[in-house]
Every structure is written in structure tokens, then in C-alpha cells.
Amino acid sequence: MAIRHYLQFTDFTAEEYAWLFERAAVIKKKFKAYEKYHPLADRTLAMIFEKASTRTRVSFEAGMYQMGGSVVHLTTGDSQLGRAEPIEDSARVISRMVDLVMIRTFGQEKIERFAAHSRVPVINGLTNEFHPCQILADLFTYIEHRGSIAGKVVAWVGDGNNMANTWLQAAELLGFTVHVSTPSGYEVDQSVAGVRSNASYKVFADPMEACRGADLVTTDVWTSMGYEAENEQRKKAFADWCVDADMMKVAKPDALFMHCLPAHRGEEVEAEVIDGPQSVVWDEAENRMHAQKALMEYLLLGRVAG
Ligand code: CP
Ligand code: NVA
């Protein structure tokens, strides 16, 4: 099988996503039944973190062990990556020793350069521009709770960031609509998001209007990793972009609430929403592991049976 990378959401087709969601459900069921499933025995995943993580680290690491494989964990501070070894050289070396690489870093171009020099599949564990593993898990969670997302409306309230960009890619590929509301100056940029047209998203100045009639309301931190210097300025700009009970009320009565986490209650979301009955954030976090196990299985073994 030719090497496939997962660097952005558009790297797979709609048909491949259908397969991944099906496999994630099968793999999750095995895990819940304590059924041993070791298709990745003797395989090694290298995880490179240039930014902090809880969910991504635990979900990839636990997921790889559960599938019989092992992991190597590297950070900028404890590897030569932090001492200016060229990314291309790091890719050549690391990919001769492991079967799969997951990278969390800053610019998307960095992960693309790594992938271009890697002998093994590379997975984007978050960049400034994209977070495809998170949207993979979010969609799997939506499907588990509500069925197909095709034709549905997702309200995005907050920053035009890596999560927003990836939602736009998913909407264009899988046939749903994103209602985007960001403060001015923090809009999504269609060229950065890498979507072909604006047909699958609508921009709203008022976050309440973005939520009206939505099937899913979702948000993210006001300040993403790497943008900490803008924190104070962002706190002022984003004050009205807090998902509250009134926003959930204008969404569909059975609307779900999601947040990739970590969350800041009282900033981008009120506690009564994230801790309320429409919130599925804990399922969403858990599903990172099941969805990524399906992803790793697919990248290393293709379409397996059983
Ligand atoms: N949602 C997410 O990627 O969380 P971590 O930053 O904890 O990995
Ligand atoms: N947009 C956030 C997501 C964290 C999981 C960030 O990039 O920091």
C-alpha cells in the first residue's frame, strides 16, 4: 500500500470517512467488551509534541498500547528538534525506526516538510491551521448520538482558528453547513482553511444568530496555543462570544454541545452549558482514542476485516 499521511481533513474522501467511522465503532465495542485486539503488534508510533497536550497524548499512547504496539514520546525540549536539527533530517531518521509518526506543532508547513521526507505515515496532532483528529472524533461522536451529519447545521462560536478551519473542510467534504460567528479581526480565512468555496459555510456577526436552528453548537478557547501574547486583547474582543443557555435555547431542541477541551468556564462557554444535559464533551474526548485507533489501523493495515 502506498504511504498515506493525515495532515488535514481533506486528505481522505467521504467514503474513507464512512469506513473510519464504522471501524471506530467496531474498535470501541471491542474495548468496552475487554476484547484483546492487537493488530499493531510490533509496530511503533513516534509522537512529537512541540506544544502541550493531555487528550492527544493519552489517546494516541493508550490507543497504540491497546492495539499491541508501542510508542516513543518526544518533545522539543528533550530532543534535537529544540536544537535546530532540520525537520527534514529528523523526518528521515525517525521514520527509519518507527512505523507511524504523530506530530503536534506550530505551522502546517512544518508537518508537510516532515511528511515529505518521511518513509512512514504522518498524522497531524494539531497545527496552528488544522486539528483533523479532533474533528474526526467530533463527527464520530455526532454520528453516535444523532446519526448522519449530512444536511445538518453546526454553529461555530469563537475564534477562526485550527478547529474552525477543520470544521469548514469537513462541511465541504461531508455535505453539512457551518454557521461561523467570530469577533471582527478573528474571521476564518477561506484560503487558510483550504476550502474550495463558501457554499458550505455562512458568516454571522451575531453568535446568537449563528446558533439559531443549529443541530450542534461548538466552540473553543479564545486563545490557542502559540497566541498567548494576545491573551488580554482577545479577552476583550471575545467577551460576547461565550456559549450560554440563551444560545442553546435558539438552537434545535435536541442540539448537542461540543468543545474539543481544555475549556475555560465563564470565557468561551458557561458552566451550565458545558456541564448541562446537551453537552457531550466527555464522550467527545473519549472518542479521540477510538477514532484514532481506527485511523492508525487504516494507515498501517488498510481495510481490515473483523
Ligand atoms: N483537544 C485536544 O487536542 O486536547 P489536548 O490539547 O489536551 O491534546
Ligand atoms: N485551538 C486550540 C485547541 C486545543 C486542543 C489550540 O490550538 O490551542
Side-chain angles (χ1 to χ4, degrees):
M1 199 172 75
I3 294 180
R4 295 283 301 276
H5 300 297
Y6 191 54
L7 305 183
Q8 46 186 300
F9 198 84
T10 50
D11 283 342
F12 288 155
T13 63
E15 196 264 329
E16 288 180 300
Y17 280 109
W19 169 263
L20 286 173
F21 297 139
E22 224 175 88
R23 283 306 296 170
V26 169
I27 289 168
K28 181 171 182 175
K29 210 168 154 196
K30 290 183 196 293
F31 174 78
K32 296 288 176 186
Y34 300 96
E35 190 185 317
K36 245 186 209 146
Y37 182 55
H38 288 171
L40 302 185
D42 300 326
R43 309 289 182 117
T44 306
L45 165 73
M47 304 191 294
I48 301 172
F49 284 98
E50 299 213 283
K51 289 176 177 171
S53 168
T54 297
R55 278 143 289 268
T56 303
R57 164 119 193 235
V58 177
S59 56
F60 270 106
E61 189 158 339
M64 192 62 185
Y65 285 131
Q66 287 161 22
M67 290 201 294
S70 50
V71 299
V72 176
H73 177 250
L74 294 161
T75 67
T76 315
D78 65 16
S79 69
Q80 301 290 4
L81 287 160
R83 297 182 61 254
E85 180 164 13
I87 195 83
E88 292 80 1
D89 292 358
S90 303
R92 288 181 179 109
V93 172
I94 295 168
S95 72
R96 281 181 180 233
M97 300 182 199
V98 303
D99 303 278
L100 191 58
V101 179
M102 189 287 308
I103 307 180
R104 166 168 288 196
T105 188
F106 293 87
Q108 180 73 11
E109 50 77 39
K110 209 164 172 186
I111 200 170
E112 279 167 8
R113 276 163 53 209
F114 191 105
H117 295 85
S118 173
R119 288 184 166 189
V120 301
V122 177
I123 297 171
N124 182 346
L126 180 147
T127 56
N128 291 348
E129 290 81 3
F130 300 114
H131 197 3
C133 291
Q134 182 69 53
I135 302 300
L136 181 69
D138 292 7
L139 291 168
F140 176 56
T141 307
Y142 187 87
I143 293 164
E144 274 192 328
H145 283 269
R146 297 283 183 265
S148 171
I149 198 159
K152 301 287 165 95
V153 172
V154 175
W156 175 264
V157 175
D159 194 12
N161 64 10
N162 42 12
M163 284 290 296
N165 290 338
T166 313
W167 272 114
L168 295 196
Q169 290 199 342
E172 190 163 77
L173 196 68
L174 302 181
F176 60 93
T177 303
V178 184
H179 286 184
V180 184
S181 181
T182 69
S184 98
Y186 300 93
E187 293 87 354
V188 285
D189 178 336
Q190 199 176 303
S191 65
V192 176
V195 289
R196 289 191 302 274
S197 78
N198 58 7
S200 53
Y201 71 97
K202 286 188 196 144
V203 174
F204 294 82
D206 180 352
M208 188 74 106
E209 291 314 309
C211 292
R212 201 172 292 285
D215 298 280
L216 167 63
V217 176
T218 186
T219 186
D220 188 8
V221 292
W222 289 345
T223 304
S224 284
M225 291 180 282
Y227 298 84
E228 290 79 4
E230 300 172 13
N231 204 20
E232 288 313 307
Q233 178 192 329
R234 282 172 173 264
K235 275 192 173 166
K236 285 185 203 125
F238 282 77
D240 293 333
W241 277 262
C242 172
V243 178
D244 58 17
D246 291 338
M247 289 188 197
M248 293 308 294
K249 259 185 221 128
V250 300
K252 292 241 178 82
D254 70 343
L256 298 176
F257 172 78
M258 288 190 196
H259 189 312
C260 64
L261 307 175
H264 299 81
R265 289 166 176 79
E267 291 193 5
E268 74 275 6
V269 61
E270 289 297 0
E272 64 178 323
V273 171
I274 194 168
D275 300 319
Q278 287 166 284
S279 172
V280 292
V281 297
W282 313 123
D283 289 344
E284 182 188 1
E286 177 187 327
N287 281 337
R288 287 291 303 278
M289 186 173 79
H290 307 303
Q292 288 159 196
K293 284 168 77 177
L295 172 66
M296 293 192 285
E297 179 193 72
Y298 183 61
L299 288 173
L300 289 176
L301 306 178
R303 298 193 189 209
V304 299

